[in-house]
Amino acid sequence: MSVNTIQLKVTTLSNLFIGGSPRSFEIGGIDLFTVTDHNGKPYIPASSFKGSLRRIVRDLTKSSAEAKLITEAYQEFLHNKKQENLQWIKEMKEKDERFDRVEKRFEEAVNKASAEYLFGIEGFNHTPKLIFNDLLFKGKDDDNLFSIDSKNSIKASNPQEEPNVVANPRTYKTVRPGVEFSGEILFYMLDQLSVPMEVTARFVENAIYQFNAGVYRLGNSGSRGYGRIQVEVSREGD
Amino acid sequence: MTRQSPRKYHYRMKTYSTLVLSPRDHQGFYKAAGDFALEDLDKRASEHVKKDRVNIIYPFYQYGTYPRYAPAETQYYIPGSSIKGALTRIGAEEGKPSLTIDDIRVKNEDIQLYHLQKVQNLSEEDAPTEIDEFFPNVAVEVLRANSEYAGELFYDASRSEYKPEHYFREADQATRTKLKQLIQKIKEIWEQEIKGEDRFILNELRNNVQAILDEPKADNSNSYLLILGGYKGLMLSVISGRDGYKSAIYLDKMNRLPHGLVQVTLERSSE
């Protein structure tokens, strides 16, 4: 079976806060809202999940055998694309010396290649990559979905100063633990890489499972305990 | 520089005294609005609570929102940020944090209602010093003393020159200095007129704190003393080189200790 989609189910294990659009400010009220859809239900924007997964992939790049294979596959892909376009680049360079940069861009991209290219290659369109969809809330309408949480930034005086403590409270509306979301990651053109799709799928799944160890978080304020999630993954293919 | 993944630590936490962790902006539950049932008050009230006087209940930190006081269904927790906030140096660290500390889920049966107790008339010359309820119409949810919990934290070595033990050791030293400030404050007020049994309670508070400070500790111990939560008073919140400043004294009257005194023991995870 050729993999073309990874299905995700994400369950929050702690409060989750993904900075949403500002609402009217109330004195003494909530001043930071997690992102919600047009129905007021929380969701996980594709960009948020993608950003966190990208950080995991970056960390795995040095230690993963699959990451090495994926990197080599991207280098081969870019090299082949350059060869395909070589005649065209040569002709264009004769007309306009600025096209010299195109050739250099290919060289730089090959040199910088890593498994992070699964998230796109800067300066190149239509390359093999993962496409992320928003993760949507899948529960009932009347579920209790949010926590109202206060965090205080506390500044204490130094021993030499007049003793004093100043607290600056911020109030967050977050997604509470136990809320489930689902979505998918699409494999776009990944069959054009020389590495088997199975290897890429296994690497991506392994990266996603890193969330379950608790080290990596989703959204903001992870160091305050926010954004811990449990992820379940399944594959779909042809 | 090669970036290392954060490392996981487990920690155990034991409360010596009741822990008061009420979010400042959380609404209380009001009797007048029908927000709580008397049977729930009955079930959760500690022995010192005067139930007929309770008009407001202040909740402990909790996940979710609850239109009525529902202690049996509520998901209580200790915020990881509260423990992190007790680590003085971490609080002052700028940029990307090196420690992530997770929340700890709290068992519902470990939450009880309590009237906060404060040493009153500390600065009054005409009235005797006494221990009395602070807002007697308010019952506050607290985590009971002698509760034991386990939690997790994550340490990113690439973002700090210090290991977690270093931060906890500094916080432990700061806690001990603050507790000595409390003992000193009790000594200062000792000559004042203090009401009946309250002198005995204050003496026990002093002795109990001193006993904790005197507990032998191995050099390689991974156990640290912290003060968490609110109702500490200024002298347990800051270290001051100055004498004679005003500070409230709140106390856990049942255990004769300041609120929020906990022992945290770090254990490196093999994961």
Side-chain angles (χ1 to χ4, degrees):
Chain A
M1 183 179 86
S2 173
V3 184
N4 56 30
T5 306
I6 286 181
Q7 296 284 346
L8 299 168
K9 189 175 105 177
V10 171
T11 307
T12 53
L13 299 180
S14 67
N15 283 327
L16 168 68
F17 179 79
I18 299 172
S21 53
R23 305 287 169 91
S24 59
F25 181 78
E26 301 170 52
I27 293 174
I30 298 164
D31 49 342
L32 293 155
F33 293 81
T34 197
V35 67
T36 50
D37 64 16
H38 61 287
N39 289 318
K41 301 294 180 196
Y43 73 102
I44 298 171
S47 57
S48 181
F49 193 86
K50 181 182 175 181
S52 297
L53 188 63
R54 186 171 190 152
R55 188 190 152 188
I56 295 174
V57 165
R58 193 178 303 146
D59 289 350
L60 289 179
T61 298
K62 305 274 180 194
S63 59
S64 161
E66 284 129 351
K68 191 164 178 281
L69 293 175
I70 293 166
T71 302
E72 288 166 359
Y74 270 108
Q75 284 170 330
E76 191 182 333
F77 172 83
L78 288 164
H79 179 75
N80 291 342
K81 283 288 166 200
K82 185 184 165 190
Q83 293 303 318
E84 281 173 26
N85 289 290
L86 214 53
Q87 185 58 35
W88 172 78
I89 292 169
K90 201 175 165 188
E91 286 169 15
M92 294 308 287
K93 267 166 72 176
E94 282 167 12
K95 291 181 193 164
D96 186 340
E97 63 182 18
R98 283 179 300 175
F99 277 81
D100 191 35
R101 289 185 205 155
V102 176
E103 196 171 358
K104 281 185 182 158
R105 201 189 297 165
F106 268 109
E107 284 166 18
E108 281 173 12
V110 170
N111 291 336
K112 286 182 186 170
S114 80
E116 269 196 78
Y117 279 8
L118 287 168
F119 299 86
I121 307 172
E122 190 182 353
F124 291 84
N125 292 323
H126 306 299
T127 58
K129 61 186 166 189
L130 304 170
I131 294 177
F132 293 77
N133 288 339
D134 292 343
L135 294 149
L136 303 176
F137 167 65
K138 290 294 177 189
K140 294 183 218 132
D141 276 355
D142 56 352
D143 281 348
N144 184 355
L145 302 175
F146 299 101
S147 293
I148 308 298
D149 190 33
S150 293
K151 299 285 183 205
N152 292 288
S153 164
I154 294 173
K155 189 173 184 316
S157 55
N158 293 320
Q160 302 78 23
E161 298 170 340
E162 187 69 27
N164 193 22
V165 177
V166 178
N168 290 312
R170 305 297 301 269
T171 302
Y172 295 76
K173 185 174 182 180
T174 67
V175 181
R176 68 177 287 177
V179 177
E180 288 182 7
F181 299 88
S182 65
E184 59 273 313
I185 302 171
L186 308 175
F187 282 27
Y188 175 72
M189 285 173 56
L190 283 173
D191 56 352
Q192 293 193 22
L193 293 178
S194 58
V195 64
M197 296 274 272
E198 164 65 25
V199 172
T200 306
R202 199 166 59 228
F203 175 73
V204 174
E205 280 176 358
N206 180 40
I208 293 169
Y209 281 130
Q210 298 297 313
F211 281 113
N212 295 351
V215 172
Y216 297 97
R217 305 298 167 110
L218 211 54
N220 308 80
S221 294
S223 70
R224 291 164 158 174
Y226 279 10
R228 189 161 179 177
I229 56 169
Q230 179 78 24
V231 189
E232 288 174 38
V233 172
S234 61
R235 294 182 194 182
E236 281 183 12
D238 302 318
Chain B
M1 187 170 77
T2 304
R3 200 179 167 285
Q4 293 177 318
S5 295
R7 293 175 183 172
K8 192 185 214 176
Y9 282 68
H10 292 291
Y11 65 90
R12 285 180 285 118
M13 195 185 85
K14 181 186 171 192
T15 56
Y16 282 115
S17 58
T18 49
L19 171 58
V20 192
L21 269 170
S22 290
R24 287 175 188 229
D25 298 330
H26 238 305
Q27 278 196 318
F29 295 106
Y30 290 82
K31 186 180 183 179
D35 290 345
F36 60 87
L38 289 177
E39 53 263 40
D40 283 327
L41 181 65
D42 271 342
K43 281 181 204 158
R44 296 294 173 188
S46 59
E47 56 188 289
H48 295 286
V49 168
K50 293 161 185 159
K51 295 171 214 164
D52 53 329
R53 292 177 66 182
V54 175
N55 291 332
I56 305 169
I57 293 173
Y58 276 164
F60 199 84
Y61 265 91
Q62 50 196 247
Y63 293 130
T65 52
Y66 303 87
R68 283 171 53 81
Y69 182 55
E73 292 93 57
T74 302
Q75 288 182 358
Y76 296 102
Y77 72 100
I78 299 167
S81 57
S82 184
I83 298 165
K84 193 166 176 178
L87 306 179
T88 40
R89 185 185 279 269
I90 278 277
E93 222 174 44
E94 291 189 355
K96 291 178 176 174
S98 55
L99 276 186
T100 292
I101 303 185
D102 270 346
D103 302 339
I104 299 176
R105 300 280 182 114
V106 170
K107 291 187 288 234
N108 299 48
E109 56 268 31
D110 283 347
I111 297 291
Q112 59 183 178
L113 290 167
Y114 186 94
H115 285 308
L116 294 174
Q117 305 285 330
K118 186 181 178 191
V119 180
Q120 308 275 12
N121 305 328
L122 270 177
S123 310
E124 301 286 330
E125 289 182 3
D126 302 333
T129 300
E130 62 176 336
I131 298 168
D132 202 2
E133 283 148 10
F134 181 60
F135 294 128
N137 297 332
V138 177
V140 180
E141 284 192 326
V142 301
L143 174 62
R144 65 173 77 235
N146 301 311
S147 307
E148 293 192 33
Y149 284 93
E152 291 178 346
L153 66 86
F154 301 88
Y155 160 64
D156 190 340
S158 63
R159 288 180 176 161
S160 173
E161 58 185 299
Y162 301 113
K163 289 186 171 176
E165 290 86 344
H166 178 84
Y167 296 113
F168 279 89
R169 198 174 303 118
E170 284 202 341
D172 176 278
Q173 286 162 2
T175 301
R176 289 170 191 277
T177 303
K178 290 170 187 171
L179 291 174
K180 285 173 191 164
Q181 291 181 162
L182 173 62
I183 290 173
Q184 180 59 34
K185 183 71 178 176
I186 295 172
K187 278 182 189 165
E188 282 173 22
I189 65 169
W190 205 245
E191 299 308 317
Q192 290 178 206
E193 185 187 352
I194 303 175
K195 243 182 171 181
E197 196 201 1
D198 293 349
R199 184 178 288 275
F200 175 74
I201 293 171
L202 281 173
N203 195 41
E204 285 218 320
L205 171 65
R206 180 170 63 179
N207 291 341
N208 290 342
V209 169
Q210 189 63 55
I212 287 172
L213 289 175
D214 291 343
E215 276 179 17
K217 192 180 174 195
D219 289 344
N220 59 353
S221 167
N222 279 337
S223 294
Y224 308 96
L225 205 55
L226 303 182
I227 305 176
L228 303 183
Y231 298 98
K232 298 189 282 273
L234 199 53
M235 83 187 72
L236 292 180
S237 300
V238 296
I239 293 172
S240 177
R242 303 191 180 194
D243 295 326
Y245 62 92
K246 290 182 181 177
S247 169
I249 301 176
Y250 298 93
L251 71 153
D252 171 353
K253 198 174 171 183
M254 290 183 283
N255 296 288
R256 314 274 157 95
L257 281 171
H259 289 293
L261 199 56
V262 303
Q263 185 189 56
V264 172
T265 304
L266 284 184
E267 294 163 354
R268 176 77 194 278
S269 171
S270 57
E271 291 168 56

